[in-house]
């Protein structure tokens, strides 16, 4: 049975032949929704304060989303004089900036953004065209 154990240990669970998929943790996940009135971008920013988020429309007409994590590193003595150190530390904070090409039908003057429950939500209202304005016309009966 020794050869069987060696085969399972050495070959079966050897993943060197498998492609490695590396997730870039510095880029937040982004969802984009559309309805007849607007596009909505949802950017995952868990734990981030709105003060660290900047949303602009740049000179090229692109939507620029920047997240600056201004975490200050301070070394302070614990009040109870107990010395602690990390055995493992995986939290990392980095800055992020991405430009998005906006569709032609976005009203760039009416874009809004808010951070709520770890989601940066950017509302991109669509431009109301003459054809759309006609749909909103309501005839009022004269009595």
């Amino acid at each position: 049975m020794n050869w069987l154990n060696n085969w399972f240990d050495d070959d079966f669970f050897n993943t060197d032949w498998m492609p490695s998929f590396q997730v870039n943790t510095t880029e937040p996940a982004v969802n984009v929704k559309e309805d007849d009135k607007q596009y909505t971008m949802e950017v995952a920013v868990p734990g981030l304060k709105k003060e660290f988020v900047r949303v602009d429309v740049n000179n090229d007409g692109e939507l620029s989303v920047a997240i600056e994590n201004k975490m200050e590193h301070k070394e302070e003595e614990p009040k109870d004089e107990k010395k602690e150190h990390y055995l493992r530390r995986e939290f990392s904070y980095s800055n992020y900036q991405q430009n998005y090409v906006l569709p032609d039908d976005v009203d760039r003057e009416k874009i809004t953004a808010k951070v709520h429950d770890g989601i940066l939500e950017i509302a991109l209202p669509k431009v109301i065209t003459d054809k759309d304005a006609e749909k909103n016309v309501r005839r009022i009966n004269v009595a």
Side-chain angles (χ1 to χ4, degrees), residues 3-47:
W3 66 269
L4 187 59
N5 288 342
N6 286 341
W7 184 78
F8 273 103
D9 291 341
D10 295 338
D11 295 328
F12 189 73
F13 294 109
N14 183 357
T15 58
D16 292 341
W17 59 273
M18 294 177 68
S20 64
F21 298 100
Q22 193 173 36
V23 177
N24 189 348
T25 58
T26 60
E27 295 183 16
V30 177
N31 295 332
V32 180
K33 301 185 290 190
E34 178 186 13
D35 62 29
D36 49 336
K37 294 185 180 184
Q38 72 179 13
Y39 300 95
T40 304
M41 285 182 65
E42 299 170 329
V43 183
V45 290

Side-chain angles (χ1 to χ4, degrees), residues 22-78:
Q22 193 173 36
V23 177
N24 189 348
T25 58
T26 60
E27 295 183 16
V30 177
N31 295 332
V32 180
K33 301 185 290 190
E34 178 186 13
D35 62 29
D36 49 336
K37 294 185 180 184
Q38 72 179 13
Y39 300 95
T40 304
M41 285 182 65
E42 299 170 329
V43 183
V45 290
L48 200 68
K49 296 179 182 178
K50 69 179 184 175
E51 294 84 24
F52 300 152
V53 178
R54 190 181 74 242
V55 180
D56 300 312
V57 176
N58 65 22
N59 291 336
D60 296 328
E62 300 170 330
L63 183 72
S64 177
V65 177
I67 299 171
E68 296 178 356
N69 212 328
K70 299 178 181 180
M71 302 293 289
E72 294 181 18
H73 177 69
K74 293 182 182 179
E75 291 193 25
E76 297 179 4
E77 290 292 320

